[in-house]
Amino acid sequence: MRPPRLNPLFATVRALKGVGPKVEGLLTKLVAPGHQNAHARVIDLLWHLPTGLIDRALTPNIATAKVGEIATLEVTVAEHRPGGGRRGGRAPYKVLVEDDSGGAFDLVYFNADPNYLKRLLPVGSRRLVSGQLEAYDGWLQMPHPDHVVAVDGAGNLPLLEPTYPLTTGLSNTVLRKAIGEALPQLPALPEWNDAEFLAKHAWPTFGEAITRLHEPKSDADLSLTSPARLRLAYDELLANQLALAVIRQRLTKRAGRSLVASGKFRKAILANLPFELTGAQMRSLAEIDADLKTPHRMLRLLQGDVGSGKTVVALLAMVNAVEAGVQTALMAPTELLARQHLQTISPLAESAGLRVAILTGRERGREREEILTALQDGKIDILIGTHALFQEAIAFRDLGLVVIDEQHRFGVHQRLALQAKGTGSGAELLVMTATPIPRTLLLTGYGDMDASRLDEKPPGRKPVATRTVPLDRLDEVVAGITRAVSQGSQVYWVCPLVAESEMLDLAAAEERYAALKKHFGAKVGLVHGRLAAKEKDRVMAAFAAGDIAVLVSTTVIEVGVDIPNASIMIIEHAERFGLAQLHQLRGRVGRGAKESSCVLLYRQPLSDTARERLNVLRRTEDGFVIAEEDLRLRGGGEVLGTRQSGMPAFRIARLPEDQTLLQTARDTARLILARDPELKGKNAEPLRLLLYLFERDDAIKLMRAG
Ligand code: ADP
Ligand code: MG
């Protein structure tokens, strides 16, 4: 349970004075978007930091004030000139103000209540006004001043005003007021960082840091290097690393076992492979073997670009485990991929005498019962399935190794769920991802795991010629693929993610399908996520057999599909995809003997960043390089599309900028757990608060579960 003293921070913003339903809605849109039925909470508001600072120090007088800048002036109200006349036209209401320097200008109001303005600015009164000075028709004016206060009420005018990212309908003033109400909700918290460490960096306390960021004294306070921001970024990274360290500790605590094999199955399979393993495959296998041999549990991530040959590594690892006497499971993210794995794996495994089965939502009734019984009796050595298998109570006789494929949809939370379920809880774990992850992000998302990299492609891969083409030259592209198809080529045509809604994606793909059908007739097929499994398989089989030449799809083909004869990849609205995703899609081609190409269709105009991003793809096919570039161009939070990647999003920390802090946080987290594995010692309470504060408290639940 969350410590009660943090409760005020996790209350909805409605608890704050002055925040009604309307403002709550706006705040939610601003600081907690994308969540269904979400309510902005006080803490969300506190994490929302200003990005600018307006200096409202008094400008000496009107004569010296600069056009185009924020001015704060002491003025006398000279005259009201209501705009629009009697019929209420569009002319604004103007209030002429002046000062002793001989200067004068108009305060300009559109759609304002005249009575309100008369009360605010009585003729002859002295006022402090602050806002942007502009020139209009050779005359000075200040449209909608930010502040108007009586001279003796100067205390109400902020001398330094932080400005926040806003949303339509929400003003900086209203947001600041809400944040002003939120700040006092911060309880006094005990320090979780080492006193010496804090002193060395001259960092403030947590409470001081948050307050300083919302009440900055200078631009320096808002910079990436301000001690206040660094402190909070560090705290956030420490919470992240501590949670991962707890997960690692829990997952490895239940002693695995030593799986030792002579390699006889492996040898049999290698003899049947039509190729030699690459150096990277052999290196990764050696790392896996070493893990399996130790009595500790393996927790290893196998990173390898599309086509780098992860499947065979997984298979060779599994057969050694089987030889050592246990069962193994391979989980794929989709049904399609599970079936493809079955096709690759079963002939090889069966030639070595191993028993392979598949279990997905499609195996039902008696067939399913038989598989379940065989599993329980230990008559299946390798079970291939989808993630859904984890959701069920499936009993193995002795599950010793779990391989999870294409894990970028399978985040820390799912790893925790996997552990909690007990399915495979004693099993060694190998996770494979086709999304190369930049080194810094690897630490924040997978800091609990060891990592192997397949950074070498199998020989004989031809480079994929990549071009960017504006959508208005679609006709040329269609003409080009018509020629290629007449010479026996096969084409993937990927339609983009139009919206959050699958229905809309589908509509776009169906439209393209209909248009291409006019050119290619029965040689064009359509596959998407809504298709019944049987139908999907039928279309994919027809494409694999060459009966379909052009396969239109939504991004369902993104992961894993292997059809070597397909040599052309068209990606529509490429500018809407993430770089990693484009790279992965492109990896579907260039697998066969043919020269391959990839056309990135984009809609004009393209922003500079978008252009640069597409150019990265033209320049290189190295997934690790692309991932680092993507991080540089887009910033950590967005690189992998947090929601689908399972990579954690940070409120304050920024990567790669904060990577030094990250390293320190990682070392500290490990040290903390080494000293106090249960987080029960006398210094543990503050650290638990930290985990709750940054909502990394899954780790605490895990500790309780034992
Ligand atoms: P991914 O890493 O994307 O899962 P796969 O395991 O599907 O890659 O391998 C892609 C293709 O490369 C498969 O057809 C596989 O048989 C082939 N392959 C794997 N390793 C090698 C190798 N060392 N030499 C040649 N081809 C290989
Ligand atoms: Mg694969």
Side-chain angles (χ1 to χ4, degrees):
M1 256 230 315
R2 181 191 301 134
R5 68 169 112 180
L6 294 182
N7 285 346
L9 294 177
F10 289 88
T12 81
V13 291
R14 278 294 284 285
L16 300 173
K17 212 177 102 202
V19 177
K22 180 160 164 268
V23 173
E24 183 199 22
L26 291 166
L27 291 175
T28 296
K29 200 166 143 215
L30 182 67
V31 300
H35 301 283
Q36 255 180 353
N37 308 321
H39 296 278
R41 302 158 308 169
V42 171
I43 193 146
D44 298 318
L45 213 49
L46 292 179
W47 296 142
H48 189 70
L49 299 180
T51 47
L53 189 60
I54 295 177
D55 184 353
R56 298 210 188 269
L58 207 58
T59 315
N61 54 47
I62 299 175
T64 54
K66 290 202 183 73
V67 172
E69 290 185 4
I70 299 280
T72 302
L73 291 154
E74 190 176 329
V75 297
T76 306
V77 178
E79 187 187 339
H80 278 238
R81 278 175 296 178
R86 214 166 276 146
R87 275 162 294 128
R90 314 201 94 237
Y93 192 107
K94 295 182 180 176
V95 179
L96 181 68
V97 297
E98 58 192 17
D99 74 3
D100 296 341
S101 71
F105 62 92
D106 283 332
L107 303 173
V108 178
Y109 292 91
F110 294 88
N111 304 321
D113 170 12
N115 291 324
Y116 165 75
L117 291 178
K118 278 174 197 143
R119 279 198 308 277
L120 183 69
L121 294 153
V123 171
S125 65
R126 296 190 52 75
R127 290 288 182 265
L128 276 173
V129 300
S130 186
Q132 174 109 356
L133 262 190
E134 290 173 4
Y136 181 76
D137 260 356
W139 182 242
L140 269 186
Q141 63 177 35
M142 184 183 283
H144 291 273
D146 302 326
H147 299 276
V148 175
V149 297
V151 167
D152 54 11
N156 293 328
L157 198 150
L159 279 181
L160 281 173
E161 184 177 333
T163 53
Y164 292 86
L166 297 170
T167 187
T168 323
L170 185 70
S171 73
N172 200 56
T173 308
V174 169
L175 177 59
R176 280 192 61 226
K177 222 183 230 150
I179 289 174
E181 294 291 332
L183 279 171
Q185 302 299 314
L186 256 183
L189 295 173
E191 182 59 61
W192 43 79
N193 285 311
D194 185 64
E196 237 171 87
F197 175 71
L198 283 182
K200 188 181 113 197
H201 290 282
W203 282 350
T205 66
F206 180 82
E208 284 165 359
I210 287 222
T211 307
R212 173 54 74 100
L213 291 175
H214 287 290
E215 293 167 4
K217 307 270 180 269
S218 72
D219 285 327
D221 284 337
L222 298 180
S223 75
L224 274 179
T225 54
S226 93
R229 195 205 69 86
L230 289 173
R231 147 114 217 193
L232 296 185
Y234 177 77
D235 285 343
E236 185 170 36
L237 293 166
L238 181 62
N240 163 260
Q241 290 300 303
L242 195 55
L244 286 169
V246 169
I247 293 168
R248 181 182 174 82
Q249 178 203 45
R250 293 292 127 160
L251 291 178
T252 50
K253 195 177 79 169
R254 204 161 321 190
R257 56 186 131 176
S258 176
L259 296 180
V260 187
S262 70
K264 65 170 179 182
F265 291 146
R266 188 179 284 182
K267 274 193 209 91
I269 288 174
L270 284 171
N272 280 330
L273 278 183
F275 49 73
E276 304 269 305
L277 296 184
T278 64
Q281 283 172 321
M282 287 194 280
R283 185 167 26 79
S284 298
L285 259 182
E287 287 162 358
I288 293 167
D289 286 346
D291 283 357
L292 293 181
K293 255 182 221 140
T294 68
H296 307 291
R297 257 181 100 188
M298 171 167 75
L299 267 183
R300 183 166 288 276
L301 181 71
L302 177 62
Q303 279 201 93
D305 228 330
V306 168
S308 58
K310 293 184 292 295
T311 317
V312 68
V313 173
L315 172 63
L316 295 173
M318 289 192 289
V319 300
N320 260 18
V322 170
E323 191 196 333
V326 298
Q327 291 170 292
T328 63
L330 170 62
M331 303 291 157
T334 64
E335 164 108 35
L336 208 72
L337 277 167
R339 306 231 163 251
Q340 199 169 293
H341 280 318
L342 180 73
Q343 263 172 27
T344 318
I345 284 174
S346 54
L348 289 166
E350 280 161 11
S351 74
L354 304 186
R355 297 154 301 180
V356 183
I358 186 163
L359 190 61
T360 71
R362 271 170 63 189
E363 281 68 39
R364 296 210 190 91
R366 241 192 57 206
E367 188 188 5
R368 191 175 193 86
E369 291 306 313
E370 278 170 17
I371 296 170
L372 290 176
T373 311
L375 265 183
Q376 210 149 13
D377 294 346
K379 289 185 180 143
I380 292 173
D381 300 311
I382 298 178
L383 180 72
I384 298 173
T386 50
H387 291 160
L389 287 189
F390 285 126
Q391 261 79 66
E392 300 178 41
I394 288 178
F396 289 79
R397 188 177 63 85
D398 185 7
L399 179 62
L401 168 63
V402 175
V403 181
I404 300 174
D405 189 18
E406 310 289 5
Q407 112 110 24
H408 59 292
R409 309 222 159 143
F410 200 74
V412 173
H413 283 281
Q414 285 101 325
R415 297 211 289 283
L416 282 169
L418 172 63
Q419 164 74 13
K421 278 271 175 220
T423 308
S425 63
E428 318 275 327
L429 186 60
L430 178 67
V431 169
M432 308 197 291
T433 166
T435 311
I437 300 162
R439 290 195 186 275
T440 42
L441 296 193
L442 195 61
L443 218 51
T444 62
Y446 302 92
D448 55 330
M449 308 189 90
D450 299 303
S452 298
R453 274 186 172 207
L454 289 181
D455 48 11
E456 178 185 347
K457 284 213 171 134
R461 292 280 154 77
K462 296 226 174 82
V464 179
T466 301
R467 285 184 301 140
T468 51
V469 177
L471 262 172
D472 45 31
R473 283 170 47 199
L474 191 74
D475 289 348
E476 292 169 41
V477 172
V478 172
I481 65 171
T482 307
R483 273 193 306 277
V485 164
S486 71
Q487 288 157 19
S489 294
Q490 285 183 281
V491 183
Y492 289 107
W493 189 300
V494 180
C495 293
L497 207 72
V498 177
E500 298 284 277
S501 143
E502 205 190 339
M503 288 307 278
L504 291 179
D505 292 354
L506 187 54
E510 276 173 343
E511 201 174 307
R512 180 59 62 212
Y513 170 68
L516 290 172
K517 221 173 162 69
K518 292 191 189 117
H519 291 271
F520 299 101
K523 289 193 88 67
V524 55
L526 174 65
V527 60
H528 54 76
R530 292 244 161 166
L531 231 46
K534 275 226 170 75
E535 178 62 10
K536 214 186 294 175
D537 287 357
R538 194 193 60 74
V539 178
M540 291 311 295
F543 190 54
D547 298 335
I548 287 175
V550 182
L551 182 68
V552 179
S553 75
T554 53
T555 44
V556 290
I557 62 149
E558 179 191 336
V559 262
V561 179
D562 189 15
I563 296 174
N565 189 52
S567 61
I568 300 176
M569 169 66 64
I570 314 279
I571 304 172
E572 217 173 304
H573 279 298
E575 77 280 4
R576 291 181 186 165
F577 289 89
L579 274 192
Q581 215 180 357
L582 288 173
H583 173 63
Q584 203 159 47
L585 286 168
R586 178 172 60 179
R588 300 295 123 222
V589 297
R591 294 175 166 216
K594 277 208 179 74
E595 296 290 334
S596 296
S597 59
C598 172
V599 177
L600 304 173
L601 283 169
Y602 62 90
R603 158 153 307 164
Q604 284 171 314
L606 220 45
S607 74
D608 285 349
T609 310
R611 185 175 305 277
E612 205 182 328
R613 291 178 62 236
L614 293 185
N615 279 338
V616 170
L617 274 145
R618 289 204 324 200
R619 269 203 318 270
T620 178
E621 283 187 62
D622 182 330
F624 289 99
V625 171
I626 289 171
E628 298 289 346
E629 283 289 296
D630 206 13
L631 178 61
R632 187 178 66 76
L633 289 169
R634 282 212 286 179
E638 291 183 55
V639 167
L640 299 163
T642 331
R643 240 176 302 165
Q644 64 152 335
S645 69
M647 296 294 277
F650 292 108
R651 306 283 200 148
I652 311 286
R654 294 253 299 259
L655 291 166
E657 291 88 341
D658 288 325
Q659 51 187 310
T660 317
L661 294 181
L662 175 61
Q663 280 299 346
T664 313
R666 174 183 174 83
D667 296 344
T668 308
R670 295 201 162 187
L671 201 65
I672 289 169
L673 279 193
R675 281 193 197 137
D676 181 8
E678 302 294 319
L679 278 190
K680 284 206 168 118
K682 64 175 172 30
N683 298 322
E685 202 239 7
L687 287 165
R688 287 174 175 253
L689 278 172
L690 173 73
L691 290 172
Y692 279 103
L693 206 49
F694 284 98
E695 298 175 71
R696 299 291 201 270
D697 46 296
D698 275 356
I700 293 176
K701 284 194 209 99
L702 188 61
M703 287 200 269
R704 207 171 307 115

